[in-house]
Amino acid sequence: MTEFDLVIRNGKIATAADVMNCDIGIHQGQIVALAAELPKGTQEIDATDKLVLPGGVDAHCHMDQPMNDGSVMADDFYTGTLSALCGGTTTVIPFACQMKGHSLAKAVEDYHQRATDKAVIDYAFHLIVTDPTPHVLDEELPKLIAKGYTSFKVYMTYDDLKLSDRALLDVLAVARQEGAFVMVHAENSDCIAWMVQRLAQLGKISPRYHATARPQVVEREATHRAIALAELVDVPILIVHVSGAEAVEQIQWAQNRGLRIYAETCPQYLFLTEADLDQPGFEGAKCICSPPPRDKANQQVIWDGLCNGVFQVISSDHAPFRYAHPQGKQICGTHGSFQYVPNGIPGIETRLPLLFSEGVNQGRIDLNTFVALTATNPAKLYGLYPQKGTIAIGSDADLVIWDTQRQVTIANEMLHHNVDYTPYEGIALQGYPEITISRGEIVYQHGEVIAQKGRGKFLSCGLSSFARPRQRGKAVPCP
Ligand code: DUC
Ligand code: ZN
Ligand code: ZN
């Protein structure tokens, strides 16, 4: 009897550190052997001329997240994770969002119900803390962290989500005490509100003014403030969805001072510009996200940051709202103000193909960097490594076989999300996932989805080594 359930043979394998030619032996969902010529497995895949990479870890995506404004996300945990795996992602970390005035623990229970029996790949949850009452800070957060919800996002904008600086400090202090990791949405709320009001007075409400209302200074100021608050508490943070040069400068400045400041960017800041919000009619709403896409020069700064170590992770920030839908982008019709358009764009399936084609195939980033940014680093950042994010003995057999020559032009009709558009329509790519394997099971092959609904498992996250403060043990305030 063979010891391997599956052998992937003759592939070129890349991790965040190495590139090698070898076979991969899989048993009971895990990688159990890496060697030049493995004996026959029950099932075999010939990966000659193909690239074998760790399945992607999308550490920032939204699915089935209840909204306060009447909008509804188009993807639930079935369509969202299905779309992910077709694009080469095998682990997702969406958000369990606390509603102000409600329990965080209850929000987590609710998200489990949304995901169980639906997810087709493995998932963990970040928390979103919107109401850090003493009960949440002292009771709920420590208990949730101990149970494997070890990262949380905080917002500096949006009335229903944002925290004051004081509340941010309280949350950061709990993170420091418990070893959890904080992600920050850094935009100055009052600046945006002020800009939106003035634009409205001038009748400037069409989608393109979403970007006008959020110039880079808005993101730069909040990024700097978040860094300062984290420095005061002495706790690492990660700035999510960084859009351009001005926030990058702040992050680099902090990193150069030795602060543990990490950063994430997303494909929209590499492939879209502000001009995409300025389309005929209401079409620009398709690209409304926050922070907004900037310009070509800023795209280059983001590409540079992927190479020079400013960014540790690239996530999709998949936020699936339909375009032609009264609970989507057109919640206030096609003549309403940009300020009511739900923020966010879909991209869970296109994240890896876009970055592979324009990054690796165009020579902007090397293969190891691609793997690090899209799989290994997010797994490490959020306490899932080495179970996820790499190809190593003992790791889950979450693997993607890439055809590096395949030419694909992105069209919404080929995607598996439940959204009626993609902002990347018409972009020509070279290189695409051919086979996706999740815990040793082929879940997608040559365009055919084989994954059984509900097969995805919840992942309890460990504490991240990235969350360690500089001065361990010394709590704040420290005389
Ligand atoms: N922030 C996100 O992280 N996602 C969608 C919208 C937003 O503002
Ligand atoms: Zn955000
Ligand atoms: Zn997001």
Side-chain angles (χ1 to χ4, degrees):
M1 226 177 63
T2 174
E3 73 180 280
F4 302 124
D5 305 322
L6 173 64
V7 172
I8 302 170
R9 221 172 267 295
N10 304 322
K12 177 171 149 187
I13 291 162
T15 66
D18 299 303
V19 179
M20 58 203 148
N21 291 298
C22 75
D23 299 345
I24 305 177
I26 295 161
H27 184 61
Q28 292 187 345
Q30 290 190 337
I31 298 168
V32 294
L34 297 168
E37 272 183 48
L38 288 174
K40 203 163 166 29
T42 308
Q43 205 179 358
E44 297 252 333
I45 295 175
D46 181 6
T48 304
D49 296 330
K50 301 282 153 63
L51 194 55
V52 187
L53 303 183
V57 177
D58 194 340
H60 183 159
C61 49
H62 306 262
M63 41 193 86
D64 203 8
Q65 188 175 314
M67 305 299 292
N68 282 320
D69 62 356
S71 64
V72 174
M73 289 197 170
D75 282 317
D76 64 8
F77 276 81
Y78 178 58
T79 57
T81 55
L82 190 73
S83 185
L85 75 88
C86 295
T89 289
T90 50
T91 302
V92 288
I93 318 183
F95 295 85
C97 182
Q98 178 195 25
M99 295 290 188
K100 276 200 204 288
H102 291 81
S103 150
L104 187 51
K106 283 261 176 321
V108 172
E109 275 174 35
D110 175 47
Y111 276 83
H112 273 289
Q113 290 193 352
R114 290 167 190 270
T116 313
D117 300 332
K118 286 202 175 145
V120 290
I121 54 171
D122 295 348
Y123 57 94
F125 292 124
H126 305 292
L127 309 172
I128 295 177
V129 184
T130 61
D131 198 359
T133 59
H135 179 69
V136 167
L137 293 168
D138 301 338
E139 305 284 335
E140 292 199 344
L141 267 176
K143 281 189 193 142
L144 287 165
I145 293 164
K147 283 187 188 162
Y149 309 92
T150 57
S151 49
F152 26 94
K153 184 176 176 194
V154 288
Y155 283 80
M156 298 171 82
T157 188
Y158 298 125
D159 289 342
D160 54 342
L161 301 172
K162 73 180 177 193
L163 301 186
S164 66
D165 289 355
R166 176 100 184 234
L168 284 169
L169 289 168
D170 284 338
V171 173
L172 290 171
V174 172
R176 190 189 194 282
Q177 183 183 302
E178 305 295 331
F181 199 41
V182 180
M183 313 155 78
V184 182
H185 178 128
E187 288 186 299
N188 182 311
S189 185
D190 283 336
C191 289
I192 296 167
W194 187 79
M195 290 290 284
V196 167
Q197 189 187 26
R198 291 179 77 95
L199 287 163
Q201 282 163 355
L202 299 169
K204 298 187 171 183
I205 58 165
S206 66
R208 75 182 164 114
Y209 293 108
H210 172 80
T212 316
R214 294 169 128 98
Q216 284 200 63
V217 61
V218 165
E219 184 186 10
R220 186 229 299 162
E221 185 281 331
T223 301
H224 184 88
R225 185 158 35 100
I227 290 167
L229 300 180
E231 181 178 2
L232 180 66
V233 178
D234 179 25
V235 67
I237 54 168
L238 178 135
I239 309 289
V240 293
H241 45 52
V242 173
S243 73
E246 296 193 23
V248 165
E249 275 168 20
Q250 298 304 312
I251 293 160
Q252 251 172 339
W253 170 83
Q255 290 171 343
N256 290 340
R257 297 181 77 213
L259 300 176
R260 296 190 178 172
I261 302 298
Y262 303 104
E264 168 204 82
T265 192
C266 313
Q268 47 270 41
Y269 306 117
L270 296 167
F271 293 90
L272 303 179
T273 67
E274 197 176 333
D276 290 304
L277 275 72
D278 190 9
Q279 295 182 47
F282 198 64
E283 291 276 317
K286 290 178 175 174
C287 295
I288 285 187
C289 59
S290 294
R294 306 298 181 183
D295 61 15
K296 291 268 175 210
N298 281 283
Q299 287 182 350
Q300 186 55 49
V301 172
I302 301 293
W303 278 114
D304 292 342
L306 292 175
C307 300
N308 65 21
V310 171
F311 294 110
Q312 290 69 46
V313 56
I314 180 158
S315 310
S316 69
D317 196 4
H318 181 73
F321 297 103
R322 292 190 191 93
Y323 173 64
H325 198 280
Q327 288 169 322
K329 296 284 186 182
Q330 296 180 14
I331 193 163
C332 289
T334 52
H335 293 93
S337 167
F338 68 84
Q339 67 174 303
Y340 304 117
V341 174
N343 272 229
I345 60 176
I348 205 163
E349 192 166 342
T350 43
R351 174 184 73 124
L352 296 176
L354 282 166
L355 192 69
F356 186 86
S357 180
E358 287 303 306
V360 179
N361 268 341
Q362 294 297 324
R364 291 185 170 105
I365 57 173
D366 66 24
L367 202 45
N368 303 117
T369 305
F370 174 82
V371 174
L373 290 165
T374 59
T376 315
N377 290 353
K380 286 182 177 173
L381 279 162
Y382 300 114
L384 291 172
Y385 181 86
Q387 181 185 357
K388 302 293 186 188
T390 192
I391 299 178
I393 290 174
S395 293
D396 282 358
D398 286 3
L399 302 161
V400 177
I401 301 178
W402 285 75
D403 179 345
T404 60
Q405 301 307 310
R406 191 168 152 213
Q407 315 270 343
V408 172
T409 299
I410 297 178
N412 194 53
E413 62 193 22
M414 69 185 236
L415 301 177
H416 299 77
H417 61 196
N418 207 7
V419 186
D420 56 356
Y421 77 98
T422 168
Y424 307 111
E425 187 81 29
I427 295 184
L429 304 176
Q430 184 187 323
Y432 215 80
E434 191 173 89
I435 299 177
T436 305
I437 296 162
S438 163
R439 277 184 278 105
E441 202 183 316
I442 298 172
V443 287
Y444 171 80
Q445 195 169 20
H446 308 295
E448 193 196 345
V449 178
I450 311 154
Q452 200 197 331
K453 193 172 178 178
R455 65 169 293 288
K457 287 190 180 158
F458 169 68
L459 301 162
S460 167
C461 296
L463 294 179
S464 164
S465 60
F466 286 72
R468 287 194 194 129
R470 292 166 85 203
Q471 297 187 37
R472 281 191 225 164
K474 260 193 169 183
V476 180
C478 43

